[in-house]
Amino acid sequence: MIQMDEKIQGIYQEVLKRNPGETEFHQAVLEVLECLGPVIVKHPNFADRKIIQRICEPERQIIFRVPWMDDNGEVQINRGFRVEFSSALGPYKGGLRFHPSVYLGIIKFLGFEQIFKNSLTGLPIGGGKGGSDFDPKGKSDDEVMRFCQSFMTELYRHLGEHTDVPAGDIGVGGREIGYMFGQYKRITNRYEPGVLTGKGLTWGGSLVRTEATGYGATFFVNEMLKARKDSFEGKICTVSGSGNVAIYTIEKIHQLGGKCVACSDSNGVIYDEKGLDLDLIKQLKEVERRRIEDYIKTHKHAKYIAKGNIWEIPCQVAMPSATQNEINGKDAATLVKNGCIAVGEGANMPTTPEGVKLFLEAKIAYGPGKAANAGGVATSALEMQQNAGRDSWTFEYTEKKLEDIMINIHNNCFETADEYGAPGNYVLGANICGFIKVANAMVAHGLI
Ligand code: GLU
């Protein structure tokens, strides 16, 4: 990666000082800033207008109390967040994460990445992110509903199809979006589908939205492989996680001729040499909300490795689809040593800076999350388009649009990396390409 020049180093130091303790946010900012040296040289007006400093400061940050009643009649209190980072390219757009690890630093890293990711999609969406430290694990359906209703009772005043449009992320899927949509409708007395994406298919949702992040990440890897005159055909793959992103990554890998042999959850890893039985995983995770350990109850030939490390399983393609910093330097070294030739990130920032450095040095095809997993939010923007036109598109039509968007993102990142003298470096390509579009819009809009 290119050395940070002095001016940018100073900006980074200021970010550290202004945002103490937010380590994930620091990490996300550093990765982008490290790539921007040559951009500032080419576009001195970005420095004059302090575009980098402004982009690192969210336009608005909302933190609120979320009180709710559990099934035992006891009052519970969580903290809610919405960080509206950038509206340079469109209304704030990005998911909501419900997970006990959530605090401002995580929401800010996600919101910051979302600015560039959304820019890369080529669609008119700004960047934002939100969520809560609420833990949906082990909660009853009614508890989740009461929490979502309380969360939306505060958040609704900040939303709108032209203002801010949340969606899902870890811990937020169709069920949670449904409860939040219902509460929004009740409070505002408006049936406004464009205010949330990831909706159910009978009430304004889009076909392919559920599959989009996983399918999109796999399309992206397919393009990286094609650029190297290779394909998924016969490739052994591993996919961490077993949520929505992982499930549809596995599905698309299988459709493209690859064989996915392992996935995981926070308790352990499933290894099935014959190739994962996706119907079973869907039944366990999507229908019954169980742990993947139960896979071996019916598939005795497979192995369950409690507390195992999925990156120790040899593979040619690795697709981290669980959470941030799940591949460290050691894991990256293991993957490369075991013959991994491509990594496509379905999760946001799943590789630590040491891991990224190793992948780039090894010159494997490495697709960073903000490019590789942009298919989810891109399809959210397609959902917004359908809502605005009171329309609904077919699966085939929508999937083709998603594939075209991913091919475009790949080509833009690839060409930008070339243009800036770092061929094959998709990190540099994605950061520069995503940044320039936002920066130009910010210059055009004046000092706001
Ligand atoms: N949470 C997803 C992401 O990380 C999707 C956001 C959206 O659809 O708005 O991009």
Side-chain angles (χ1 to χ4, degrees):
M1 215 167 286
I2 282 156
Q3 209 61 36
M4 264 209 281
D5 68 25
E6 236 168 83
K7 194 180 268 167
I8 296 184
Q9 180 62 251
I11 298 174
Y12 179 62
Q13 291 308 322
E14 193 60 28
V15 168
L16 294 183
K17 218 165 79 196
R18 286 172 67 78
N19 305 278
E22 297 174 0
T23 49
E24 295 83 359
F25 178 52
H26 302 163
Q27 185 183 335
V29 169
L30 181 61
E31 191 212 278
V32 173
L33 263 50
E34 278 179 330
C35 297
L36 295 184
V39 179
I40 295 301
V41 174
K42 255 197 186 168
H43 301 263
N45 62 328
F46 292 168
D48 293 345
R49 307 315 292 168
K50 299 216 168 142
I51 296 296
I52 303 180
Q53 291 91 322
R54 277 156 65 195
I55 224 170
C56 291
E57 183 70 22
E59 289 177 17
R60 189 177 296 109
Q61 309 186 53
I62 304 143
I63 304 181
F64 51 99
R65 178 168 68 198
V66 190
W68 57 282
M69 187 84 80
D70 72 16
D71 286 346
N72 300 322
E74 197 171 319
V75 171
Q76 301 287 342
I77 297 129
N78 286 98
R79 188 171 291 171
F81 301 89
R82 186 70 182 166
V83 175
E84 298 180 333
F85 233 112
S86 168
S87 61
L89 298 179
Y92 309 108
K93 183 83 198 86
L96 298 170
R97 175 176 294 192
F98 292 170
H99 191 270
S101 65
V102 163
Y103 76 107
L104 189 58
I106 289 208
I107 300 300
K108 276 167 72 176
F109 116 64
L110 290 163
F112 186 73
E113 291 244 305
Q114 202 81 43
I115 307 172
F116 308 102
K117 183 195 307 196
N118 294 5
S119 163
L120 286 170
T121 66
L123 298 163
I125 39 180
K129 203 86 186 192
S132 174
D133 57 0
F134 173 74
D135 186 0
K137 215 185 276 173
K139 302 288 187 298
S140 72
D141 212 68
D142 283 341
E143 288 177 325
V144 170
M145 180 180 74
R146 289 194 292 272
F147 174 81
C148 289
Q149 289 177 337
S150 179
F151 186 84
M152 189 48 101
T153 301
E154 174 56 34
L155 191 63
Y156 88 95
R157 68 191 82 248
H158 303 287
L159 308 184
E161 67 171 309
H162 301 294
T163 309
D164 186 352
V165 184
D169 195 84
I170 293 171
V172 178
R175 173 179 63 167
E176 291 74 18
I177 295 292
Y179 294 144
M180 288 190 272
F181 181 71
Q183 185 73 353
Y184 182 89
K185 181 163 66 73
R186 187 179 194 192
I187 295 173
T188 59
N189 194 29
R190 285 170 68 87
Y191 201 104
E192 221 183 298
V195 79
L196 285 166
T197 61
K199 299 180 293 295
L201 295 175
T202 54
W203 40 278
S206 171
L207 285 162
V208 192
R209 179 61 191 91
T210 307
E211 295 84 354
T213 311
Y215 277 19
T218 314
F219 285 140
F220 190 92
V221 172
N222 198 35
E223 291 308 303
M224 293 199 298
L225 292 171
K226 272 201 236 161
R228 293 168 177 235
K229 314 247 169 308
D230 204 343
S231 77
F232 263 108
E233 201 54 55
K235 294 273 183 310
I236 301 295
C237 309
T238 55
V239 177
S240 64
S242 48
N244 163 270
V245 180
I247 286 175
Y248 293 97
T249 298
I250 298 167
E251 185 161 285
K252 189 50 79 182
I253 288 173
H254 287 171
Q255 286 172 13
L256 293 177
K259 182 160 105 173
C260 189
V261 295
C263 69
S264 62
D265 64 17
S266 52
N267 292 357
V269 176
I270 285 290
Y271 174 61
D272 186 341
E273 204 180 11
K274 292 189 188 163
L276 291 170
D277 177 350
L278 192 58
D279 288 338
L280 175 59
I281 295 173
K282 281 186 181 174
Q283 178 66 26
L284 291 174
K285 301 303 294 188
E286 291 183 331
V287 183
E288 297 170 22
R289 293 181 191 273
R290 280 160 57 185
R291 308 302 298 174
I292 47 138
E293 182 177 0
D294 293 346
Y295 186 96
I296 54 168
K297 284 194 178 147
T298 48
H299 290 45
K300 306 258 185 257
H301 63 277
K303 277 199 196 80
Y304 176 68
I305 314 156
K307 292 277 154 238
N309 181 352
I310 191 168
W311 311 121
E312 286 170 6
I313 296 171
C315 68
Q316 290 154 296
V317 178
M319 298 195 60
S321 308
T323 194
Q324 67 272 358
N325 292 330
E326 54 170 311
I327 297 183
N328 61 25
K330 192 163 158 272
D331 299 327
T334 308
L335 281 164
V336 172
K337 182 177 78 105
N338 285 341
C340 178
I341 57 158
V343 174
E345 296 183 340
N348 291 311
M349 207 170 74
T351 310
T352 63
E354 300 74 46
V356 174
K357 193 162 169 275
L358 263 154
F359 288 149
L360 293 176
E361 279 167 6
K363 296 208 176 304
I364 66 163
Y366 169 61
K370 64 168 75 70
N373 74 37
V377 75
T379 308
S380 277
L382 301 181
E383 182 172 331
M384 291 161 74
Q385 277 185 37
Q386 292 168 79
N387 294 153
R390 298 179 187 276
D391 200 358
S392 54
W393 306 338
T394 64
F395 193 94
E396 292 68 29
Y397 180 79
T398 317
E399 189 187 12
K400 181 77 184 80
K401 274 194 172 275
L402 167 64
E403 186 175 7
D404 289 346
I405 290 167
M406 296 315 297
I407 293 174
N408 243 316
I409 296 176
H410 170 273
N411 294 347
N412 287 338
C413 296
F414 188 87
E415 284 157 21
T416 306
D418 252 2
E419 187 190 328
Y420 281 83
N425 184 337
Y426 292 94
V427 176
L428 191 104
N431 285 329
I432 294 183
C433 188
F435 173 80
I436 288 181
K437 201 171 158 202
V438 180
N440 279 325
M442 288 173 74
V443 171
H445 295 165
L447 187 53
I448 53 170

